[in-house]
Amino acid sequence: MSNNLPSFHLYCGDLWKDQQFQLCSWQAQNLWLRMLVLLHDSIPRGEFRLSNGQPMSDEQIATLCHMPMADLKQLLCELLGNCVCSRMAGAIVSRRMVRERQEEENKFQTIEDIHEMKRQAGLKGANARWHSHDMINGKAMTENSTPDISSSSSSSSSSSSSSSSSSSISKEQDIARFENEFWKPYPGRDGKKIDKSQALKKYLMLNEQDKALLALAVQHLAVHPRSKDGIGIKDPHRWIQNGTKKEPSEPWREWIEDTKPQGGLNVGLNEKDYTAGVW
């Protein structure tokens, strides 16, 4: 797992109150602060390891810290003796960084599982609505295909009337779907949603499959943390279709697949854990 975190938390109060750290000489304390910076950028974070997974030797750590080997061995012995750092499978590690990294990985996997469950639930709901719409259309077609044997003129008139009635019912259903599946769940910008008629016009131009996918995309947008704050929300009709006739864009298609909340890899970093020591 690559380390793309630009910083790490150094709690100054914990640092100065930690008896193990205070028992070290100022030279050992300075070495440990330098090592923490290097450990933060290591892969995996918190462990002095080479790219092949093997632990770094003391000589290699001395090179990274720009310190004579004899001085590093003496100060490292002091840090290990006071339990400021530890050796794990042969590698010098920061216990706190390792613990926080493992917690982040576990939480990240949990978030991914939740997103997958939401995505599957959305697809299931969209398929159910799609099936229901097909059943309604199928019934309407069956009723429209029944011939009127009284006369050819009355048959033509009945067919035209049934077709018009079916078209009217279908439009009413689309308007209801627009209201329930798009307009109501769509997040407002500063608590407002404008140009409803424009959004409805663009919605009615979509085919049935795109309407079902749009409903799924709205669900993903609505639960996004930034959407709840009203940040970066487009006007509804521009979210359905934007751009020009020559170069149209459909921003909603980017939300068909659920997205990770921003800062997903940083979840939990603001939480202090005193159960296993400062380091």
Side-chain angles (χ1 to χ4, degrees):
M1 180 178 178
S2 62
N3 178 15
N4 59 357
L5 300 177
S7 62
F8 68 95
H9 286 209
L10 181 64
Y11 300 105
C12 299
D14 296 346
L15 180 68
W16 298 121
K17 293 174 186 177
D18 183 64
Q19 188 178 30
Q20 297 166 333
F21 183 74
Q22 292 301 326
L23 287 174
C24 297
S25 63
W26 67 266
Q27 294 95 333
Q29 291 178 358
N30 287 345
L31 171 62
W32 180 238
L33 292 176
R34 176 175 295 220
M35 290 173 69
L36 284 176
V37 175
L38 295 171
L39 285 166
H40 170 72
D41 288 329
S42 299
I43 300 176
R45 188 167 78 253
E47 302 181 28
F48 274 124
R49 294 190 181 276
L50 302 173
S51 57
N52 61 3
Q54 294 298 315
M56 285 189 185
S57 65
D58 291 349
E59 290 80 0
Q60 291 168 326
I61 296 176
T63 301
L64 289 175
C65 293
H66 303 285
M67 180 175 291
M69 180 61 191
D71 293 344
L72 180 123
K73 278 193 172 183
Q74 179 183 352
L75 297 177
L76 190 56
C77 228
E78 188 178 346
L79 292 171
L80 289 168
N82 287 315
C83 298
V84 173
C85 61
S86 300
R87 283 195 187 271
M88 182 186 298
I92 297 293
V93 304
S94 164
R95 296 186 299 276
R96 184 170 194 156
M97 284 189 183
V98 172
R99 184 173 67 252
E100 289 180 344
R101 187 192 78 224
Q102 292 172 346
E103 289 174 354
E104 291 165 26
E105 291 171 351
N106 293 335
K107 289 183 179 180
F108 180 74
Q109 291 172 358
T110 303
I111 291 172
E112 286 295 305
D113 293 340
I114 293 173
H115 285 172
E116 179 61 22
M117 290 173 62
K118 288 182 178 179
R119 191 180 74 85
Q120 292 297 334
L123 288 174
K124 184 177 180 181
N127 289 334
R129 290 190 294 272
W130 178 260
H131 178 70
S132 175
H133 187 76
D134 283 348
M135 293 294 291
I136 294 172
N137 283 348
K139 183 178 179 181
M141 289 176 62
T142 302
E143 293 174 352
N144 293 341
S145 62
T146 303
D148 186 356
I149 60 174
S150 59
S151 65
S152 59
S153 60
S154 62
S155 175
S156 175
S157 175
S158 176
S159 176
S160 175
S161 176
S162 297
S163 177
S164 175
S165 176
S166 175
S167 176
S168 176
I169 293 174
S170 178
K171 186 172 182 179
E172 290 177 1
Q173 291 170 346
D174 279 341
I175 292 175
R177 287 180 64 188
F178 165 82
E179 187 73 24
N180 296 323
E181 299 178 6
F182 177 79
W183 189 256
K184 287 182 179 179
Y186 190 88
R189 184 172 60 189
D190 296 330
K192 299 179 181 179
K193 290 182 275 190
I194 63 173
D195 294 331
K196 186 176 182 178
S197 59
Q198 288 289 329
L200 176 59
K201 181 179 178 181
K202 293 180 179 181
Y203 178 88
L204 294 176
M205 294 173 63
L206 299 174
N207 59 40
E208 294 301 323
Q209 183 178 2
D210 282 349
K211 288 174 184 174
L213 292 174
L214 178 65
L216 178 63
V218 170
Q219 293 178 25
H220 293 160
L221 176 69
V223 300
H224 195 279
R226 297 190 67 187
S227 298
K228 294 178 181 178
D229 297 333
I231 300 175
I233 303 297
K234 292 181 178 290
D235 293 331
H237 71 95
R238 289 192 173 91
W239 196 68
I240 297 175
Q241 189 180 66
N242 203 7
T244 63
K245 290 183 177 180
K246 292 183 178 180
E247 296 181 358
S249 66
E250 296 177 307
W252 65 272
R253 293 190 182 277
E254 299 177 6
W255 291 85
I256 294 175
E257 294 290 335
D258 200 0
T259 57
K260 293 181 294 187
Q262 289 193 5
L265 295 180
N266 295 337
V267 173
L269 287 184
N270 291 329
E271 301 173 359
K272 291 188 179 183
D273 181 1
Y274 299 98
T275 60
V278 176
W279 310 112

